[in-house]
Amino acid sequence: MQDFLWRNHSSLTKFVLLGFSSDTKINGILFSIFLLLYLTILLGNGLIFTLIHIDSRLHTPMYFFLSVLSILDMGYVTTTVPQMLVHLVCEKKTISYVGCVAQMYIFLVLGITESWLFAIMAYDRYVAICHPLRYKIIMSPLLRGSLVAFCAFGGITCALIYTVSAMILPYCGPNEINHFFCEVPAVLKLACADTSLNDQVDFILGFILLVVPLSLIIVVYVNIFAAILRIRSTQGRIKAFSTCVSHITVVTMFSIPCMVMYMRPGSESSPEEDKKLALFYNVITAFLNPIIYSLRNKDVKRAFLKMVGSSKGSG
């Protein structure tokens, strides 16, 4: 793949990531904020993943998908944030051409996989609420593994299309990317060629990878809400509704900014707005996922207290 990408007649061997500001004081403040966010994301998602795998009561399909989401979120932010932190405190803000390609591809693989995982998680909630007695039978380990593999395959394949379509274009200068990482729309602005075909490819892929799963989620939740209204117990309705609202909140925070970023023509984008959108679906969503999904969940709290209690007992 590397040799193929180098045949694009590009004269650039590296890019400069402009980041957020050239002011040292502002960058120092941003460094502290993003470092705290990054460590919290790793701690929160790492804790969720650990609790799910050590507590047998959390060995259910729903928590299996949550553990996969935690891994994706940790990988997602690690692809971009550590480098961003280094660039905030160092004068040198360069990234090699190959490094830029690798960052772009890995970021897209994880993001696309997560987009489809949200649709799978909606289906999981549908089975749990509408077919509770057959839930564990339907969502068997084989089916769960197959669904996650499907998401990963889609991510690997479509990310390759995104990356190759962007990086086969000639890049002959300038080399300054007005972003904090190598994201496709920002990189395409530097191409020494017409990018209208890329806009069409991005729109089609965005429709398949964002609009289609979001539409499936909407259809699933229409059926779920209809089933919730049929639940006689008020407490049961509230519990089912609460679980669904958590998922809808996360999906909205992730999907809407992604659609704005990847489905609009490059000529209509604003670098400053793009950076804010990227921060939202890259950093903020990964930060909020553990809070919205799990840390307020009674089962997870019980597992955490059990783990803390056992560690104190062994100590």
Side-chain angles (χ1 to χ4, degrees):
M1 178 181 172
Q2 182 177 335
D3 293 339
F4 173 70
L5 291 171
W6 272 108
R7 289 202 299 269
N8 64 359
H9 307 296
S10 173
S11 59
L12 300 180
T13 58
K14 61 183 178 182
F15 293 101
V16 177
L17 292 165
L18 297 181
F20 298 98
S21 173
S22 57
D23 190 302
T24 307
K25 290 183 179 178
I26 293 175
N27 284 341
I29 295 170
L30 290 175
F31 175 85
S32 301
I33 294 171
F34 290 130
L35 178 61
L36 181 61
L37 279 173
Y38 180 58
L39 294 176
T40 305
I41 288 167
L42 294 184
L43 179 63
N45 285 285
L47 178 61
I48 296 303
F49 179 81
T50 303
L51 290 175
I52 289 171
H53 282 270
I54 66 173
D55 195 306
S56 59
R57 287 174 297 184
L58 300 182
H59 292 176
T60 65
M62 180 181 79
Y63 289 110
F64 168 75
F65 291 122
L66 283 177
S67 69
V68 175
L69 180 64
S70 294
I71 294 171
L72 289 174
D73 280 340
M74 287 189 287
Y76 204 47
V77 294
T78 300
T79 306
T80 59
V81 176
Q83 181 195 58
M84 176 180 71
L85 291 172
V86 171
H87 286 179
L88 283 170
V89 294
C90 294
E91 290 186 12
K92 187 179 180 182
K93 304 179 188 296
T94 59
I95 182 172
S96 68
Y97 181 92
V98 174
C100 187
V101 173
Q103 185 183 57
M104 181 187 294
Y105 179 69
I106 294 169
F107 179 82
L108 287 168
V109 167
L110 297 171
I112 294 167
T113 303
E114 187 162 319
S115 177
W116 273 99
L117 181 67
F118 285 135
I120 302 303
M121 292 171 76
Y123 173 70
D124 172 72
R125 291 297 81 214
Y126 167 77
V127 177
I129 293 170
C130 299
H131 304 282
L133 299 178
R134 301 177 57 216
Y135 176 49
K136 289 188 177 180
I137 297 173
I138 295 173
M139 300 303 294
S140 65
L142 177 60
L143 179 62
R144 298 198 303 260
S146 300
L147 291 173
V148 170
F150 165 77
C151 295
F153 177 77
I156 292 167
T157 306
C158 295
L160 188 64
I161 297 171
Y162 262 121
T163 306
V164 171
S165 65
M167 302 313 287
I168 59 172
L169 294 173
Y171 292 90
C172 44
N175 69 336
E176 293 183 339
I177 301 173
N178 194 356
H179 210 301
F180 62 91
F181 74 102
C182 289
E183 189 164 35
V184 172
V187 175
L188 285 175
K189 289 181 180 294
L190 303 184
C192 306
D194 181 20
T195 59
S196 56
L197 180 60
N198 293 79
D199 287 341
Q200 294 174 24
V201 171
D202 290 352
F203 182 84
I204 293 169
L205 286 175
F207 184 85
I208 296 169
L209 303 173
L210 295 168
V211 178
V212 170
L214 188 59
S215 301
L216 292 174
I217 290 169
I218 292 170
V219 171
V220 167
Y221 275 108
V222 168
N223 286 278
I224 288 175
F225 288 139
I228 290 174
L229 293 175
R230 292 195 295 268
I231 297 175
R232 294 182 180 181
S233 165
T234 303
Q235 188 176 357
R237 283 200 298 269
I238 292 172
K239 184 179 179 181
F241 186 74
S242 175
T243 305
C244 296
V245 168
S246 298
H247 187 238
I248 291 170
T249 303
V250 171
V251 169
T252 303
M253 291 192 308
F254 180 85
S255 299
I256 301 302
C258 282
M259 284 194 288
V260 173
M261 177 72 81
Y262 282 91
M263 295 186 68
R264 68 182 174 187
S267 58
E268 296 180 10
S269 63
S270 160
E272 297 308 314
E273 184 181 332
D274 286 354
K275 282 183 270 190
K276 292 174 185 175
L277 286 172
L279 271 178
F280 203 81
Y281 59 73
N282 180 206
V283 179
I284 305 302
T285 304
F287 171 74
L288 293 176
N289 273 351
I291 300 170
I292 293 173
Y293 260 125
S294 304
L295 295 183
R296 66 182 188 85
N297 183 293
K298 290 181 180 178
D299 294 332
V300 175
K301 286 180 182 177
R302 195 180 298 118
F304 176 71
L305 292 173
K306 180 183 174 182
M307 182 180 74
V308 173
S310 63
S311 64
K312 284 183 179 179
S314 61

